[in-house]
């Protein structure tokens, strides 16, 4: 390994550690479940229990996001980041060695908490540690780790199945990978002794929650809803369409591939055209991606649905959290945590209403209709936010 990548203060090392943290926290602890869902459904899982597990995972994620808002001291942030990363590793191990439903439920909720530490607290540490004037592009590269998290976990799963392994073997391989990635991330995303002794602490400032920010948070809640239904069921949604059985896995791979450059592209556009303008465009494309499987069984359009989904939801996470980090000033974890809390509430609710609609109508269409409508409502809220920002600007 390049010696600079072992330097805790090297920007490249910091970004690499952040990406690996996202692969472990978001990929192994969340998206790997989606990749493995079809094979687990063929074995012992039901769609209903899969939806419950997804919501349980996000209950943990939501609790972690709320908890992150109140972590003031930099030392405490680092401590909980480390704890969260190891929770992601050990909870994945349990999915490999048992099918006890109670253990799976507990594992998923604890993994969700760990994922929040990896994403919210880890991203705040990355943003704090980076030494550069403008961090927008660098954070775009960091959040590309969400796309990598889908792709890497999917490729590891494919490798295991190509080697005649099972979904249990896949969870074991993911655990081993996550363990070594975690060691690197927690080493780099720490501070030198001088920094630790300086005990940096930030106060909670309620004044940042203006009407503009609250509308942004509501819109991010809508994105959380838009994200979670595909994130939980997409491979099975595609496989359930006439003539598309077997295309679900390919669609999910395309989600990861589209997600990798999306943060960098969207955040570069945001610098030129304004964050809210670009978020509105991305949310509209997400809306189109969600609605496509309800309108057609055309293979290419449904593959496009996966590309639109991966190419927007990953970018939207980066766009919203970057805006939150900027608006919050010296304590980015506060607003990033608040936004992730709203996103997390959407993630908890999405699988629950989806399972109810899927069970009642015996297909995914109505769950997708509701999801698309909520995303569209989020766009309307952003248009109101834009108007508020314009009115405030005109008063100056």
């Amino acid at each position: 390994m390049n010696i600079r990548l072992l330097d805790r203060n090297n920007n490249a090392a910091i970004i690499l550690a952040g990406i690996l943290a996202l692969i472990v926290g978001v990929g192994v602890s969340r998206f790997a479940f989606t990749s493995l869902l079809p094979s687990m459904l063929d074995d012992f899982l039901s769609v209903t229990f899969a939806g419950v597990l997804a919501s349980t995972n996000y209950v943990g994620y939501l609790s972690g996001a709320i908890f992150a808002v109140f972590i003031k001291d930099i030392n405490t942030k680092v401590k909980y980041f480390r704890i969260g990363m190891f929770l992601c590793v050990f909870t994945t191990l349990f999915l490999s060695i048992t099918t006890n439903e109670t253990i799976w439920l507990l594992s998923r909720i604890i993994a969700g908490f760990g994922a929040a530490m990896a994403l919210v607290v880890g991203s705040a540490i990355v943003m704090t540690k980076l030494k550069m004037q403008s961090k927008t592009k660098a954070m775009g590269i960091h959040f590309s780790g969400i796309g990598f998290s889908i792709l890497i976990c999917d490729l590891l799963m494919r490798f295991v199945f190509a080697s005649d392994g099972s979904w249990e073997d896949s969870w074991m391989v993911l655990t081993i990978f996550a363990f070594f990635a975690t060691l690197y991330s927690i080493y780099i995303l720490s501070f030198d002794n001088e920094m630790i002794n300086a005990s940096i602490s930030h106060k909670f400032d309620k004044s940042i929650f203006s009407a503009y920010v609250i509308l942004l948070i509501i819109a991010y809640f809508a994105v959380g809803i838009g994200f979670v239904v595909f994130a939980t069921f997409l491979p099975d949604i595609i496989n359930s369409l006439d003539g598309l059985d077997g295309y679900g896995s390919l669609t999910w791979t395309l989600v990861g591939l589209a997600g990798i450059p999306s943060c960098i592209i969207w955040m570069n556009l945001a610098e030129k055209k304004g964050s809210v303008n670009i978020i509105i465009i991305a949310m509209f494309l997400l809306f189109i991606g969600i609605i496509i499987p309800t309108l057609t069984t055309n293979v290419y359009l449904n593959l496009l649905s996966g590309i639109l989904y991966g190419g927007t939801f990953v970018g939207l996470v980066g766009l919203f959290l970057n805006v939150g980090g900027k608006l919050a000033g010296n304590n980015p974890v506060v607003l990033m945590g608040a936004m992730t809390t709203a996103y997390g509430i959407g993630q908890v609710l999405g699988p629950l209403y989806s399972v109810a609609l899927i069970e009642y109508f015996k297909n995914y269409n109505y769950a997708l209709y509701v999801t698309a409508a909520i995303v569209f409502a989020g766009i309307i809220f952003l248009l109101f936010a834009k108007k508020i920002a314009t009115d405030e600007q005109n008063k100056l």
Side-chain angles (χ1 to χ4, degrees), residues 75-193:
N75 305 311
T76 311
K77 289 175 187 175
V78 171
K79 180 178 77 174
Y80 278 102
F81 169 70
R82 291 174 173 177
I83 291 170
M85 290 292 288
F86 278 114
L87 287 177
C88 291
V89 175
F90 292 119
T91 53
T92 305
L93 177 63
F94 286 116
L95 302 183
S96 173
I97 61 178
T98 180
T99 56
N100 181 285
E101 291 188 355
T102 303
I103 292 176
W104 273 51
L105 284 167
L106 290 171
S107 174
R108 296 309 287 163
I109 195 168
I110 295 169
F113 181 87
M117 295 301 102
L119 174 59
V120 183
V121 180
S123 297
I125 294 171
V126 169
M127 187 174 278
T128 301
K129 287 203 69 171
L130 284 172
K131 293 175 176 60
M132 52 184 66
Q133 263 194 326
S134 176
K135 299 181 182 181
T136 299
K137 290 182 181 179
M139 291 307 291
I141 297 170
H142 166 70
F143 286 118
S144 71
I146 298 172
F148 276 112
S149 74
I150 296 173
L151 183 63
I152 297 298
C153 291
D154 188 62
L155 291 176
L156 285 171
M157 178 208 75
R158 287 173 179 270
F159 170 77
V160 172
F161 283 132
S163 305
D164 294 324
S166 62
W167 58 262
E168 293 100 330
D169 297 326
S170 296
W171 284 123
M172 182 60 73
V173 169
L174 287 165
T175 300
I176 295 167
F177 167 80
F179 176 75
F180 288 105
T182 291
L183 292 180
Y184 180 77
S185 289
I186 66 172
Y187 170 74
I188 296 296
L189 298 182
S190 302
F191 291 89
D192 295 332
N193 290 330

Side-chain angles (χ1 to χ4, degrees), residues 68-69 71 203-205 208-209 328 331-339:
V69 174
I71 303 176
K203 292 182 179 178
F204 183 82
D205 183 6
I208 62 174
F209 292 97
N331 194 11
V333 78
V334 172
L335 196 44
M336 289 168 77
M339 286 182 159

Side-chain angles (χ1 to χ4, degrees), residues 1 4 7 9 26 39 142 148 220 296 300 322 335 376:
M1 182 180 288
R4 289 185 299 174
D7 179 0
N9 299 308
V26 182
S39 58
H142 166 70
F148 276 112
Y220 199 40
T296 179
Y300 299 109
N322 188 62
L335 196 44
F376 194 79

